[in-house]
Amino acid sequence: GEDVEQSLFLSVREGDSSVINCTYTDSSSTYLYWYKQEPGAGLQLLTYIFSNMDMKQDQRLTVLLNKKDKHLSLRIADTQTGDSAIYFCAQGTGRRALTFGSGTRLQVQP
Amino acid sequence: DSGVTQTPKHLITATGQRVTLRCSPRSGDLSVYWYQQSLDQGLQFLIQYYNGEERAKGNILERFSAQQFPDLHSELNLSSLELGDSALYFCASSFGRQVSTGELFFGEGSRLTVL
């Protein structure tokens, strides 16, 4: 199957780090993605990682990939209230459309 | 603004009815994807068109159909509507046949409520 699983909800305090986790099933996934959905808006690509990488850092975002366990995480450093949104993990093989998880709602408490 | 336009933004209709959702992809993009977002099933891929032809099919019901026109806009037709079809329907576009490092650009969605 092509399931992607995420926890549904995460609450953190402003200034703390957030870690959103994802597990995927398709071992042939070539790229793994994190998308962000703000209220009333469509999804927007945050970052992606190629499957032969372990880590990717982009300003406050750090993506970690454990290919053996098929586990992907997104760490947001110094989380701000503007980071409150739903975060979707997605996997892609380049041959099929992206498969998305159900999304993790991140709530940032001031 | 992603450049992907979806209409209508909201739609309320009754069971048994038929509706059409419309999507204009980002300028220059040849692929259009339809996704359904519901509370209990997350974001489900329905179908992809590339340059007017069906490219990939996901969990699309037989009551649903789609097409992509020569000007590259796409329509998703939902018929014999049921309460469970209530959801947010997203259109996304990309330049190529497949998505790798290239991102999907999502519209703001069409919220369908079936009463």
Side-chain angles (χ1 to χ4, degrees), chain B residues 49-70:
Chain B
Y49 280 82
Y50 174 76
N51 205 20
E53 293 190 3
E54 183 181 304
R55 161 92 178 140
K57 215 170 202 180
N59 300 323
I60 188 165
L61 299 172
E62 289 208 7
R63 299 184 285 110
F64 296 179
S65 65
Q67 53 183 327
Q68 185 179 29
F69 294 87

Side-chain angles (χ1 to χ4, degrees), chain A residues 33 35 37 42 45 88 94 98, chain B residues 35 37 90 98 100 103-104 107:
Chain A
Y33 306 82
Y35 277 78
Q37 183 183 23
L45 180 68
F88 289 88
L98 300 190
Chain B
Y35 282 86
Q37 185 180 30
F90 282 109
Q98 49 206 32
S100 53
E103 63 185 278
L104 285 183

Side-chain angles (χ1 to χ4, degrees), chain A residues 42-108:
Chain A
L43 281 70
Q44 188 171 18
L45 180 68
L46 268 183
T47 187
Y48 67 88
I49 187 167
F50 188 48
S51 61
N52 70 352
M53 297 169 64
D54 298 324
M55 185 182 86
K56 180 178 180 182
Q57 188 148 4
D58 183 1
Q59 298 182 332
R60 292 190 298 120
L61 305 179
T62 303
V63 179
L64 294 177
L65 175 60
N66 180 329
K67 199 173 177 184
K68 174 175 166 289
D69 295 337
K70 299 193 189 72
H71 182 266
L72 183 74
S73 68
L74 173 70
R75 179 177 180 270
I76 305 172
D78 187 25
T79 312
Q80 302 298 306
T81 53
D83 295 324
S84 293
I86 302 175
Y87 291 81
F88 289 88
C89 168
Q91 63 179 5
T93 65
R95 297 189 303 275
R96 295 187 292 273
L98 300 190
T99 303
F100 287 84
S102 296
T104 300
R105 183 178 295 274
L106 175 65
Q107 182 179 71
V108 182

Side-chain angles (χ1 to χ4, degrees), chain B residues 53-109:
Chain B
E53 293 190 3
E54 183 181 304
R55 161 92 178 140
K57 215 170 202 180
N59 300 323
I60 188 165
L61 299 172
E62 289 208 7
R63 299 184 285 110
F64 296 179
S65 65
Q67 53 183 327
Q68 185 179 29
F69 294 87
D71 68 352
L72 301 176
H73 92 270
S74 178
E75 292 181 357
L76 178 67
N77 301 296
L78 315 173
S79 62
S80 303
L81 285 168
E82 301 174 0
L83 296 178
D85 298 327
S86 295
L88 193 52
Y89 290 85
F90 282 109
C91 171
S93 73
S94 67
F95 174 71
R97 285 186 186 86
Q98 49 206 32
V99 180
S100 53
T101 58
E103 63 185 278
L104 285 183
F105 295 88
F106 279 80
E108 293 184 357

Side-chain angles (χ1 to χ4, degrees), chain A residues 5-20:
Chain A
E5 293 191 358
Q6 304 177 235
S7 54
L8 291 180
F9 186 76
L10 176 65
S11 180
V12 300
R13 287 192 176 278
E14 193 173 17
D16 288 350
S17 291
S18 307
V19 180
I20 302 172

